[in-house]
Amino acid sequence: MAPRLRAVALTLVRCTAWQLLDRNCWPDFSAHYASCCQEGIPPSPQCFDESRTFEKCCRCQNGAELSLGHRLTQQFFGPLLCHPSVATHEDDFWIQHKGKRRLLRIFMYPLPRMFNADLLNRLQLGGWMDGSECDYGLTACTESKWNGLFSVYRQFATEILVLLKFLAAPEGVLTEDPEEADLFVVPYFAKTDCAESGNAGRDPCWGKCKCATVVKHLFSALPHFSWHTRGRHLFLATGDIKDLPVEIQSQPLLVSLGASFCGGHVVVPSPNLDPDLQPGGKMETKEAAGRAPERHILAFWFGSIDKIWRKRVVSQMQKYQEQQEQQEQQTRLTRPVVIHGIDGDYVARDIWQTTASSPQMVLEEMMRSEFCPVVQGDVPHQKRLFDAMLTGCIPVVVAFQSHVPDYVSWWLPGGPPIERMVPFWDAIDYRSFVVEVSESEVRAGRFMDRLLRITHSEIQQRREAMRHARALVRFDFSGSAPDAFTEIVGEIWEFISTLGGPSRCHGKGIAVPFNATGFDCGVPPTIAEGTQMYGLMACCPLGATSRGFGTRLR
């Protein structure tokens, strides 16, 4: 075995991921899932022997009398995951329909493993080879160090968690009869396909996801997908909308990281995979005991500093820190500003050049910080917003005029309104805890002045409001309370509920009646050449306010 692979294997022996690796049978990586277990590809002769068989290494061992959800979990996630790792809350699937309360009925397509398990197992192999001890969203785990692109990809694993939650539905929700279904779930990991790209995730695949390997086979595997039913087919695509396969972008019902252009596109949070931030974890346990960490850091930044508004904000933080360091020669009454920039080379896959030594260090410092700026990412979505909410660090944003008159964007001048940027706008009062600093104040160099004007009582009020909101942006692995998945199911049902009446679809001057709502598919607006904040394509219900700004369909 090569020295690097031996070192990786020895590291994994000492960590929790070893159990997953053992299930895959590849401790030395000389043979592995990608070369031995993929559907439709004959295995190499060196893959198996008496102790290492196809059944043991490539599939879960079926137990007797498994539920439909458990069987499909093994099909879509095995051998990485053979038993459900999440639970749902008892109210997640109850809906109001025609004046009665009943369970939502869901048909889960039994798609071949090329659309799910093969992608996931190959990507996980890449993570192990980079040295990660964590899995790709299957269980709560915090990496002890940065592990190349795998650490980046884990922030897109919401589609894994969402599917696991659907599969953990109580008896009476999942059905094998499509005629009974309110909702069709398509278990294709669109963003994982983009990340994995056929080579265990060892090369980045950004830019419209041109290297997705299996999406071209997807629709031929969906026998119940039609013009009439497509509004009830849910697609899982939890990446940035502009970087997803165009075939997925143009579906009327999908979950992604946003921004959303119209009803049917559900914006969801990045996954919280850290045990410290789960219900009953380190953060909440200390709060309940009255031992919450002292917030001795005034403002905390962890991220790249390569964009104009980030440079402006971080430079003002640095200037403030320099002034305080000069004054501290006489007094030590101020709190520090902490800045961890990120640099790296995606081509060389060396992407975590930072003074923040580990993900755990970032969490610990956010838990000890008062304010966490959330400023101008590559796209409107930013994981740091949800990390800030869950660690109790008050998010601070720059408020711009959006492309819709009289509405604010937290991304860029002319960006999407907040209402289209963040998850569950109708359920979460973001403005009760997010601090908005106007564009003019930042241009004038007064970003830190704005923070210093906030009183202690206002800080406490904002943190209390954030504490109430954070459950709705968190995926609760234990199902102990309503969470982000609860909100996702609610928004999906509210969208489906609008699709029942007769409608007419107009095309080439001909009105065609059919018993479902029609969809208007087209190219959403951009704010600059090459920037698709709503993606390349959008399918919106006819009659929705898709060209201007209006109330999101709920």
Side-chain angles (χ1 to χ4, degrees):
M1 191 191 312
R4 169 175 164 74
L5 296 182
R6 181 178 292 108
V8 171
L10 290 174
T11 299
L12 288 169
V13 169
R14 298 189 293 269
C15 67
T16 56
W18 174 256
Q19 295 177 340
L20 295 176
L21 185 63
D22 186 50
R23 254 177 268 165
N24 275 260
C25 299
W26 322 125
D28 61 0
F29 297 111
S30 59
H32 52 73
Y33 185 95
S35 61
C36 299
C37 300
Q38 292 189 87
E39 216 162 45
I41 301 177
S44 172
Q46 68 265 27
C47 285
F48 307 112
D49 53 32
E50 291 183 359
S51 63
R52 191 168 65 187
T53 65
F54 177 88
E55 290 73 18
K56 179 179 184 294
C57 297
C58 302
R59 297 293 186 268
C60 295
Q61 301 300 307
N62 289 323
E65 303 292 330
L66 293 182
S67 67
L68 175 59
H70 196 159
R71 294 201 311 270
L72 292 175
T73 296
Q74 293 189 339
Q75 178 176 333
F76 300 150
F77 295 96
L80 269 176
L81 187 72
C82 292
H83 302 282
S85 60
V86 306
T88 54
H89 188 256
E90 59 184 7
D91 291 333
D92 283 352
F93 296 97
W94 286 97
I95 59 173
Q96 288 291 332
H97 184 231
K98 296 182 178 179
K100 295 182 180 180
R101 189 171 184 262
R102 66 169 177 84
L103 285 171
L104 184 70
R105 297 288 279 163
I106 297 172
F107 179 84
M108 180 76 64
Y109 277 98
L111 287 184
R113 291 165 61 88
M114 66 186 291
F115 296 105
N116 36 68
D118 286 352
L119 297 170
L120 180 61
N121 278 275
R122 292 198 303 261
L123 186 62
Q124 183 68 63
L125 176 69
W128 284 331
M129 294 185 72
D130 280 338
S132 179
E133 73 275 32
C134 292
D135 56 61
Y136 187 67
L138 301 173
T139 59
C141 179
T142 300
E143 292 181 300
S144 60
K145 64 181 182 65
W146 306 111
N147 295 286
L149 284 170
F150 190 69
S151 295
V152 177
Y153 294 147
R154 291 183 80 233
Q155 69 182 302
F156 301 119
T158 299
E159 60 194 27
I160 305 297
L161 274 170
V162 169
L163 184 57
L164 283 170
K165 285 275 192 175
F166 274 120
L167 293 171
E171 185 177 354
V173 173
L174 297 180
T175 176
E176 296 183 271
D177 183 357
E179 296 296 325
E180 296 179 349
D182 304 300
L183 174 68
F184 297 81
V185 174
V186 181
Y188 161 56
F189 300 143
K191 182 58 182 180
T192 307
D193 191 8
C194 301
E196 195 280 323
S197 64
N199 62 4
R202 290 189 290 274
D203 288 310
C205 177
W206 318 124
K208 321 306 177 287
C209 194
K210 290 176 287 190
C211 57
T213 55
V214 298
V215 68
K216 61 181 179 241
H217 305 291
L218 178 62
F219 291 91
S220 62
L222 305 178
H224 311 296
F225 181 86
S226 69
W227 183 263
H228 303 279
T229 65
R230 59 182 179 152
R232 294 189 289 128
H233 276 68
L234 176 67
F235 291 83
L236 310 177
T238 53
D240 306 321
I241 186 67
K242 70 178 180 60
D243 290 336
L244 295 169
V246 177
E247 299 95 324
I248 304 301
Q249 291 185 36
S250 60
Q251 297 308 314
L253 181 59
L254 74 157
V255 294
S256 92
L257 302 184
S260 64
F261 188 49
C262 59
H265 178 175
V266 181
V267 178
V268 298
S270 296
N272 58 294
L273 302 176
D274 305 288
D276 287 353
L277 304 181
Q278 282 288 301
K282 179 178 179 180
M283 182 71 192
E284 291 190 355
T285 300
K286 287 191 172 184
E287 285 180 344
R291 296 185 292 105
E294 179 186 353
R295 297 192 179 271
H296 63 274
I297 299 172
L298 177 62
F300 177 83
W301 175 265
F302 170 70
S304 60
I305 316 173
D306 58 345
K307 300 173 180 63
I308 180 172
W309 290 98
R310 288 190 175 191
K311 290 178 180 178
R312 285 173 173 167
V313 167
V314 173
S315 67
Q316 291 174 41
M317 293 172 64
Q318 290 170 328
K319 183 178 179 180
Y320 170 83
Q321 182 67 9
E322 292 167 0
Q323 292 172 344
Q324 300 311 305
E325 288 172 354
Q326 293 173 2
Q327 294 175 8
E328 283 179 359
Q329 296 176 4
Q330 291 80 34
T331 179
R332 299 188 62 83
L333 298 179
T334 58
R335 289 178 293 172
V337 164
V338 173
I339 298 171
H340 297 295
I342 298 177
D343 200 359
D345 184 342
Y346 274 92
V347 175
R349 300 191 288 275
D350 182 12
I351 60 172
W352 289 113
Q353 299 172 8
T354 177
T355 54
S357 61
S358 69
Q360 186 65 45
M361 173 186 175
V362 172
L363 285 181
E364 295 286 347
E365 291 194 337
M366 291 183 81
M367 290 179 188
R368 289 170 170 78
S369 300
E370 199 83 88
F371 299 106
C372 288
V374 180
V375 182
Q376 189 198 1
D378 292 325
V379 289
H381 158 79
Q382 288 193 54
K383 183 178 185 293
R384 59 179 46 81
L385 170 63
F386 312 115
D387 289 342
M389 292 175 64
L390 294 172
T391 56
C393 185
I394 297 173
V396 185
V397 301
V398 181
F400 304 100
Q401 169 61 52
S402 77
H403 73 89
V404 179
D406 302 323
Y407 283 83
V408 170
S409 177
W410 290 344
W411 184 36
L412 285 171
I418 311 163
E419 293 84 345
R420 297 178 180 177
M421 285 177 55
V422 295
F424 322 136
W425 175 261
D426 293 344
I428 298 175
D429 182 6
Y430 284 90
R431 282 201 164 107
S432 67
F433 55 85
V434 174
V435 173
E436 296 178 285
V437 183
S438 69
E439 176 185 344
S440 59
E441 285 183 289
V442 177
R443 287 186 182 277
R446 295 197 295 268
F447 181 84
M448 293 302 298
D449 292 341
R450 172 72 177 88
L451 301 188
L452 294 171
R453 293 198 305 269
I454 300 176
T455 65
H456 177 72
S457 62
E458 181 183 342
I459 289 173
Q460 295 303 107
Q461 290 172 2
R462 288 183 182 273
R463 185 161 291 117
E464 183 63 23
M466 185 164 58
R467 186 176 293 115
H468 289 297
R470 68 186 176 198
L472 298 186
V473 298
R474 172 173 60 194
F475 290 91
D476 179 356
F477 279 80
S478 69
S480 62
D483 65 352
F485 181 74
T486 310
E487 288 298 309
I488 291 171
V489 175
E491 291 206 5
I492 289 170
W493 175 245
E494 287 170 2
F495 174 74
I496 291 175
S497 298
T498 69
L499 303 180
S503 181
R504 302 179 76 82
C505 180
H506 296 268
K508 297 184 178 179
I510 302 173
V512 182
F514 63 100
N515 190 28
T517 297
F519 294 96
D520 174 23
C521 299
V523 180
T526 62
I527 64 169
E529 184 72 24
T531 302
Q532 289 84 29
M533 59 186 169
Y534 296 119
L536 294 170
M537 290 283 293
C539 271
C540 304
L542 289 173
T545 53
S546 56
R547 293 293 177 257
F549 181 75
T551 302
R552 183 177 58 190
L553 288 177
R554 282 187 61 86

